[in-house]
Amino acid sequence: MIATVTLNPAIDKIIVVDEIKNFSNNKIKQIKLDIGGKGTHVSSVLSDLGLKNVATGILGGYTGSILESLLGKKNIQCQFIHPPNYETRTSYIIIEENKNNHFMLTERGNKVDEKSINELVEMIIKLSSSCEFMVFSGGVSPGFNIDIYKKLIELANKNGCKTFLDASGDYLLEGIKARPFMIKPNIDEICDIIGHRPENIKEIVFHAQKLIKSGIKVVAVTLGSDGSLIVSENEAFRIYPPKVKAINTVGCGDVFFGSSIFKLYHKSTLREAFKFATAVSASKAMKLMTSEFDINEALRLLDDVLIKDV
Amino acid sequence: MIATVTLNPAIDKIIVVDEIKNFSNNKIKQIKLDIGGKGTHVSSVLSDLGLKNVATGILGGYTGSILESLLGKKNIQCQFIHPPNYETRTSYIIIEENKNNHFMLTERGNKVDEKSINELVEMIIKLSSSCEFMVFSGGVSPGFNIDIYKKLIELANKNGCKTFLDASGDYLLEGIKARPFMIKPNIDEICDIIGHRPENIKEIVFHAQKLIKSGIKVVAVTLGSDGSLIVSENEAFRIYPPKVKAINTVGCGDVFFGSSIFKLYHKSTLREAFKFATAVSASKAMKLMTSEFDINEALRLLDDVLIKDV
């Protein structure tokens, strides 16, 4: 079994307008609700690829119940902790169709009480003893300590689970101390780790290899539309994505992360896994919804994904 | 008693960010919920000015219950019709603090079933027999015919109620056929009435006087930051507002409308009523929330409001 952990999930509200005029009342053409939050996005991707999975983390209130129903529709098993008086946050993704533009507005999320955090720790201990893979992904609700990912990953590692981390800032810096199996930093998160903006790919490889030496098995660095860089003990390679016409790139990182984990769960090599993840992510970029992709389109795009050793 | 009728109310969600970066994830600094929808805004203004009032119209679902609780907190008596499976819409007002910019995104609203429309008609008949003033304001949910305001205003007029209309498009064109006591078109709505964009103030006055001859008693045309133009059987005058530093001009029209009605309810002259309304509306422009104003600030601004006959 595979489980995802989301400490600050969200509902994604996708709002489509023709074009925004400032100081004006702009009519919404279309509004859609989707699963939001990084870990829950990964769950959605795994489920869309046909892999049953469990979603856990923190969730509550009216928006929480909508999110649970969206996850349920995808046959994702929900085992969330529900803090009292806690309302799951909403992220707003605004799409300006005429300008081929989009941007996201994200709420910070509500504070989680200590009792609920303790319940979550118990849930992670329980789940990681019955799961092979556990995915920790996304920002953290106020109330958690910065070492929360470190603590949870240590517990899961101890139970023999392969752990995956996608986080940023202090949560990432603390989290990597627990030596997760794989991390997926983007370029900003690599800056968090190195302490400055790397000058070139060579410098990123150098720091990724330092992380590998510390005990992390795979470092997958996403570079936006420039693809990704994968480093393990035995190899380092860059992946160049196919050129596609993007509609909404929000969620591409989660789709990339989720589909690489899907392949690794099915014992693929790193090259196979990340080539596949790149194609699925390119398909996602062409879709309106934040975790939507077309697997047949992704399979057609596979041939246009290039891999080069670095 | 005074009643407001809102056929498509909303929750106003005010989202404050530093500045929006396109193709990016922008963190929300502050989020606030306020009463939305034009008629319910008028109720809020009347209540803030100390005038008890009844709000009726169409409302439902989770957002509807939030709106009723916001209205209740202002001591506004709620007598809404609740269609089954109907969810009150949300309007998003995005404030970019660093750029001193704002814009609004509005949902269209959900369809109202025929049974609920009939219930509303009964409610209007009942309420208008016990109210002196009835205010019809704002857009209309799908499901209503375009002559809905005409029909409701005729019923209220018949019961001896003074009726006030703020609408646009076909709803306005049909509504004025019922000869409400007062209408408050903005410049776009005047275009709806005339059929083209007027060349100058003189042309607006000419058409307003035609409306007066048809039986409407007061035509108040709002001109944005250029103030307003008031026409009745006996007079025609322009009002020039004080210069203020605007933060959020969304809702200024409703505050203007509501505070003029408040004064007319208390038997003020047209000049007194609209001078006061202009000052209150200027105070509103300096506030974040869509129906917020400071009455003391408004009273200080009164001296800076100019009136000139046209």
Side-chain angles (χ1 to χ4, degrees):
Chain A
M1 190 46 126
I2 177 163
T4 66
V5 183
T6 318
L7 301 186
N8 197 7
I11 282 288
D12 279 350
K13 197 171 247 189
I14 295 144
I15 297 174
V16 183
V17 291
D18 278 332
E19 188 177 337
I20 290 171
K21 291 197 180 101
N22 291 332
F23 305 104
S24 289
N25 179 355
N26 304 277
K27 292 206 169 132
I28 294 171
K29 284 172 68 179
Q30 197 188 353
I31 199 156
K32 287 194 169 194
L33 290 180
D34 200 0
I35 293 164
K38 286 179 173 287
T40 39
H41 269 169
V42 170
S43 270
S44 167
V45 172
L46 294 174
S47 178
D48 285 346
L49 292 170
L51 187 57
K52 270 195 161 185
N53 65 91
V54 181
T56 187
I58 299 291
L59 185 145
Y62 176 72
T63 39
S65 69
I66 296 176
L67 181 53
E68 272 192 289
S69 115
L70 290 171
L71 292 165
K73 275 185 195 156
K74 294 215 168 195
N75 286 318
I76 296 159
Q77 231 187 84
C78 289
Q79 294 192 25
F80 285 92
I81 307 300
H82 299 88
N85 305 317
Y86 178 90
E87 183 79 26
T88 291
R89 72 198 168 106
T90 303
S91 295
Y92 306 87
I93 296 126
I94 323 278
I95 314 264
E96 287 186 279
E97 275 193 339
N98 290 357
K99 288 169 76 180
N100 198 23
N101 182 36
H102 64 262
F103 56 88
M104 191 168 179
L105 304 170
T106 51
E107 291 179 10
R108 189 170 173 226
N110 294 301
K111 198 175 170 181
V112 179
D113 63 303
E114 213 178 309
K115 188 169 164 281
S116 301
I117 294 174
N118 293 336
E119 283 175 35
L120 180 75
V121 170
E122 291 307 312
M123 176 67 84
I124 297 299
I125 294 172
K126 190 185 130 203
L127 265 176
S128 61
S129 68
S130 61
C131 283
E132 298 101 59
F133 277 28
M134 189 169 265
V135 184
F136 298 86
S137 188
V140 168
S141 302
F144 283 104
N145 289 330
I146 55 160
D147 66 349
I148 181 67
Y149 278 136
K150 174 171 176 280
K151 191 171 167 183
L152 298 180
I153 290 169
E154 277 170 351
L155 290 169
N157 282 345
K158 211 170 134 187
N159 272 340
C161 228
K162 263 188 186 160
T163 51
F164 298 76
L165 176 63
D166 180 10
S168 54
D170 287 337
Y171 299 102
L172 172 62
L173 295 184
E174 286 297 310
I176 57 179
K177 291 182 188 166
R179 316 285 177 247
F181 174 78
M182 172 175 144
I183 61 171
K184 187 211 74 58
N186 62 24
I187 192 70
D188 291 330
E189 289 149 4
I190 274 291
C191 297
D192 290 337
I193 294 174
I194 305 180
H196 62 262
R197 191 153 282 268
E199 283 195 8
N200 49 36
I201 293 291
K202 226 173 122 181
E203 192 181 349
I204 304 177
V205 174
F206 171 77
H207 287 282
Q209 281 167 338
K210 266 175 62 178
L211 292 166
I212 298 292
K213 273 178 202 139
S214 81
I216 295 167
K217 299 295 176 196
V218 182
V219 178
V221 183
T222 52
L223 305 163
S225 58
D226 291 331
S228 59
L229 170 71
I230 315 297
V231 180
S232 71
E233 198 186 341
N234 305 317
E235 53 191 340
F237 56 90
R238 265 196 80 172
I239 309 188
Y240 298 88
K243 290 263 172 290
V244 295
K245 201 190 161 198
I247 289 180
N248 175 14
T249 58
V250 173
C252 279
D254 299 334
V255 168
F256 176 85
F257 194 39
S259 37
S260 69
I261 293 168
F262 167 79
K263 278 287 189 183
L264 294 174
Y265 190 80
H266 288 300
K267 318 275 186 212
S268 292
T269 64
L270 288 187
R271 279 169 200 253
E272 281 166 356
F274 289 106
K275 189 175 181 182
F276 176 75
T278 302
V280 180
S281 174
S283 169
K284 149 62 214 141
M286 292 188 277
K287 303 286 176 287
L288 184 63
M289 304 298 274
T290 30
S291 55
E292 185 190 0
F293 59 85
D294 175 340
I295 185 64
N296 291 314
E297 188 176 56
L299 293 174
R300 279 196 302 275
L301 287 168
L302 259 185
D303 284 344
D304 299 326
V305 179
L306 289 180
I307 296 192
K308 283 189 189 167
D309 286 314
V310 287
Chain B
M1 190 44 126
I2 178 165
T4 65
V5 183
T6 318
L7 301 186
N8 197 7
I11 282 289
D12 280 350
K13 198 170 246 189
I14 295 145
I15 297 173
V16 183
V17 293
D18 278 333
E19 187 177 338
I20 289 171
K21 291 198 179 100
N22 291 331
F23 306 103
S24 289
N25 180 355
N26 304 277
K27 290 203 173 138
I28 295 172
K29 284 173 68 179
Q30 195 188 354
I31 199 155
K32 286 197 169 193
L33 290 180
D34 199 0
I35 294 165
K38 286 180 171 287
T40 38
H41 269 169
V42 169
S43 269
S44 166
V45 172
L46 294 174
S47 179
D48 285 346
L49 292 170
L51 187 57
K52 270 194 163 185
N53 66 91
V54 182
T56 185
I58 300 291
L59 184 145
Y62 176 72
T63 39
S65 68
I66 296 176
L67 181 53
E68 273 192 289
S69 113
L70 290 171
L71 291 165
K73 275 184 194 156
K74 293 215 168 197
N75 284 319
I76 295 158
Q77 230 188 83
C78 288
Q79 294 193 25
F80 285 93
I81 307 301
H82 299 89
N85 306 316
Y86 178 90
E87 184 78 28
T88 291
R89 71 199 169 104
T90 303
S91 296
Y92 305 88
I93 296 125
I94 322 280
I95 313 264
E96 287 185 281
E97 275 192 340
N98 290 358
K99 289 169 75 180
N100 197 24
N101 182 35
H102 65 263
F103 56 88
M104 191 168 179
L105 305 170
T106 50
E107 292 179 8
R108 189 171 173 227
N110 294 301
K111 199 175 169 180
V112 179
D113 63 305
E114 215 177 308
K115 188 169 164 281
S116 302
I117 294 175
N118 293 336
E119 283 175 34
L120 179 74
V121 170
E122 291 306 313
M123 177 67 85
I124 296 300
I125 295 173
K126 190 185 129 201
L127 265 177
S128 60
S129 69
S130 61
C131 282
E132 298 101 58
F133 276 28
M134 189 168 264
V135 184
F136 298 86
S137 189
V140 168
S141 302
F144 283 105
N145 289 330
I146 55 161
D147 65 350
I148 181 67
Y149 277 137
K150 175 171 174 279
K151 192 172 167 181
L152 299 180
I153 290 169
E154 277 170 351
L155 290 169
N157 282 344
K158 211 171 135 187
N159 273 340
C161 227
K162 262 188 187 161
T163 50
F164 298 76
L165 176 64
D166 181 9
S168 56
D170 286 338
Y171 299 102
L172 172 62
L173 295 183
E174 287 296 311
I176 57 179
K177 291 182 187 166
R179 316 282 178 250
F181 173 78
M182 172 176 143
I183 61 172
K184 187 212 74 58
N186 62 24
I187 193 69
D188 291 329
E189 289 150 3
I190 273 293
C191 297
D192 291 337
I193 294 175
I194 305 180
H196 63 263
R197 191 153 282 268
E199 283 195 7
N200 50 37
I201 293 291
K202 226 174 123 182
E203 192 183 349
I204 305 178
V205 174
F206 171 77
H207 287 281
Q209 281 168 337
K210 265 175 62 179
L211 292 167
I212 298 294
K213 274 179 199 136
S214 80
I216 295 167
K217 298 297 178 196
V218 182
V219 177
V221 183
T222 52
L223 306 162
S225 58
D226 290 331
S228 58
L229 170 71
I230 315 298
V231 181
S232 71
E233 198 186 340
N234 306 315
E235 53 191 340
F237 56 89
R238 268 196 77 172
I239 308 188
Y240 298 87
K243 290 262 173 291
V244 295
K245 201 191 163 197
I247 289 179
N248 175 14
T249 59
V250 173
C252 279
D254 299 334
V255 168
F256 176 85
F257 194 38
S259 37
S260 68
I261 294 168
F262 166 80
K263 277 288 188 183
L264 294 173
Y265 191 80
H266 288 301
K267 318 275 187 207
S268 291
T269 65
L270 289 187
R271 279 170 200 253
E272 282 166 357
F274 289 106
K275 189 176 182 182
F276 176 74
T278 302
V280 181
S281 174
S283 168
K284 147 63 214 143
M286 293 187 278
K287 303 287 175 290
L288 184 63
M289 305 297 274
T290 31
S291 55
E292 186 189 358
F293 59 85
D294 176 339
I295 186 65
N296 291 315
E297 187 174 55
L299 293 175
R300 279 196 302 275
L301 288 167
L302 260 187
D303 285 344
D304 299 325
V305 179
L306 288 182
I307 297 192
K308 283 188 189 168
D309 287 313
V310 288

